[in-house]
Amino acid sequence: MLTRKMRFIEGVKAGLPVALGYIPIAVAFGLLAKSLDIPAYISVLMSLVIYAGASQFIGVNLLVLGASFGEIVITTFLLNLRHFLMTATLSQRLDGEVSKKWRAILSFGVTDETFTISVLQNTGGLSKYFILGINTIAFISWNVGTWLGLFFAASLPEVVKASMGIALYAMFIGLLVPHIKKSKPVVVVSLLAVVINCLMYWASMIWGFSNGWGIIIATIASAAIGASFYSEGNEQV
C-alpha cells in the first residue's frame, strides 16, 4: 500500500519530463516580458497566479499593444476554455472521495501537458497526491524558468532581447504543427482564423477598434464555423 508521500513522489517523477520541457519556454517568456518592458513583478505574478503559458505570452503582447483590460480577460478566457473540459475529465478519474478544496487545488495546476500525463496512467483511479506531485514539479519549473528569463535578460544584447518577440509565434506554431499533420479540420480552421484576423486588422484601420477585439472575433468566428462544418463524426467534410 503506497503512502501519500510515495504517491506524491511518483507524481513528481512522472511530471519531470514536463518540468524539463517547461524551463526553456518559461525562460523565453521571461526574456520576452523583459524585452517588452513589462515590470518584473507583473511577469512573476503572471507565472504565479495565471500559470498558463499561451495566455501569458499573448497577455504581455496585448499589454504592449495597448489592449484594454476587458480585451485581455476575454482573450485569455477563450484561450483557456479547454481547461473546463480537461478538469471535468480529470475529476472523473480521481480515486475515492475528493473534497472541493482538493479539486480546486488540483485544477489550478492542470495544463495540457500535466493533463496528458495524468490521463495516460494505466491505473483504475488517480490519487490526488499523484496529480499534486505532477502539478507541483511543473509549476515550480515554470516559475523558476520565468525568474531565469528575467534575470538573464539584463545581460543580453538588445538585438537578442528584441528577437524574443517571435517567441509567441514560435510557441503557437510548435503547438499547432503536430495537430495540423493529423487533422484536416485543424488546417481549415487555422487558415480560417488567419483570414478573419487579417480582415479584422484591415477593418480596425478603418473603424478604429483595437487589435485585441480582432483576435477575439477571429477566434470565436473561426471556432464557430469549424464546429458547424466539422461536427463529431463529420471530420472528412
Side-chain angles (χ1 to χ4, degrees):
M1 185 71 179
L2 295 178
T3 63
R4 296 175 180 177
K5 182 179 179 181
M6 293 170 71
R7 295 281 191 192
F8 180 82
I9 293 174
E10 273 193 342
V12 170
K13 290 179 179 177
L16 200 54
V18 173
L20 294 175
Y22 274 1
I23 289 178
I25 302 175
V27 169
F29 169 73
L31 292 172
L32 174 65
K34 194 71 175 179
S35 71
L36 296 176
D37 293 328
I38 302 293
Y41 76 92
I42 290 181
S43 305
V44 171
L45 283 175
M46 289 179 77
S47 286
L48 281 172
V49 180
I50 299 176
Y51 181 47
S55 295
Q56 290 180 222
F57 273 93
I58 204 166
V60 294
N61 275 271
L62 288 174
L63 282 173
V64 172
L65 289 172
S68 67
F69 175 77
E71 291 169 334
I72 296 174
V73 169
I74 293 174
T75 302
T76 53
F77 175 76
L78 292 173
L79 202 58
N80 288 321
L81 268 178
R82 67 190 187 284
H83 285 254
F84 284 108
L85 299 176
M86 290 194 293
T87 52
T89 301
L90 200 57
S91 69
Q92 304 300 313
R93 296 284 306 275
L94 290 173
D95 187 20
E97 290 293 326
V98 179
S99 66
K100 291 182 179 178
K101 180 181 177 181
W102 262 102
R103 289 177 187 271
I105 293 172
L106 296 178
S107 64
F108 174 76
V110 172
T111 65
D112 297 325
E113 295 77 16
T114 60
F115 169 77
T116 303
I117 294 290
S118 298
V119 298
L120 288 180
Q121 299 300 311
N122 294 318
T123 57
L126 291 170
S127 164
K128 59 188 177 186
Y129 298 102
F130 177 80
I131 298 176
L132 182 65
I134 296 176
N135 292 353
T136 300
I137 189 67
F139 179 78
I140 290 173
S141 71
W142 181 260
N143 281 275
V144 169
T146 301
W147 276 99
L148 290 175
L150 292 170
F151 176 77
F152 286 115
S155 59
L156 291 176
E158 285 299 323
V159 66
V160 176
K161 287 191 284 186
S163 67
M164 293 310 299
I166 67 170
L168 170 69
Y169 310 105
M171 178 181 175
F172 278 109
I173 290 172
L175 292 172
L176 193 60
V177 167
H179 299 286
I180 284 178
K181 291 180 178 177
K182 301 174 184 176
S183 174
K184 177 185 173 184
V186 173
V187 177
V188 174
V189 172
S190 300
L191 291 175
L192 195 58
V194 171
V195 171
I196 295 174
N197 192 52
C198 289
L199 293 175
M200 297 308 301
Y201 176 76
W202 293 323
S204 69
M205 290 191 290
I206 298 174
W207 289 297
F209 56 84
S210 70
N211 291 329
W213 287 112
I215 294 173
I216 293 171
I217 293 171
T219 303
I220 295 176
S222 58
I225 295 172
S228 300
F229 282 94
Y230 298 105
S231 58
E232 188 174 2
N234 191 31
E235 295 193 352
Q236 301 304 318
V237 175

